[in-house]
Amino acid sequence: MIYDVRTYEVRPGTVGEYVEVFGTYALPVAERHGLKLVGCLTSKVGRLNQVIHIWEYQDLADFDNKRAARDADPGWAVYRSKAHDYLVRQEDKIMSGAPFSPLR
């Protein structure tokens, strides 16, 4: 397994609004194309105004195929248009679990 760890920094004071937009518009589209959300986390201490999504894939080919299908879905364009005003910065990492990690 590999994990796509996506960190979004949102405008201060809009974390709740962004999470609502994500849950309403992005998640249904992602699930429709087989993407598996492992976690959606919001920062409470430290660097604030962050939302982290963790997505699970079999491998890079699975990642590429599912994301291409998601990106081609008209619903994804709707999500992106609604989320655009909230986002300040995004970081995207592909990671794999250590041998002892619950996520491997």
Side-chain angles (χ1 to χ4, degrees), residues 49-83:
N49 304 306
Q50 289 192 334
V51 179
I52 298 175
H53 303 166
I54 305 172
W55 299 92
E56 180 180 275
Y57 297 92
Q58 293 295 318
D59 52 33
L60 285 173
D62 185 42
F63 169 85
D64 288 338
N65 293 335
K66 287 179 178 171
R67 291 203 17 166
R70 178 206 67 189
D71 291 352
D73 189 307
W76 192 248
V78 172
Y79 157 69
R80 289 175 52 103
S81 71
K82 293 189 177 293

Side-chain angles (χ1 to χ4, degrees), residues 4-10 15 18-19 22 37-43 47 49-55 91:
D4 180 16
V5 180
R6 303 174 70 86
T7 303
Y8 296 92
E9 183 177 334
V10 300
V15 169
Y18 169 74
V19 168
F22 175 80
L37 181 65
V38 175
C40 181
L41 310 165
T42 60
S43 58
R47 189 168 192 162
N49 304 306
Q50 289 192 334
V51 179
I52 298 175
H53 303 166
I54 305 172
W55 299 92
E91 181 179 13

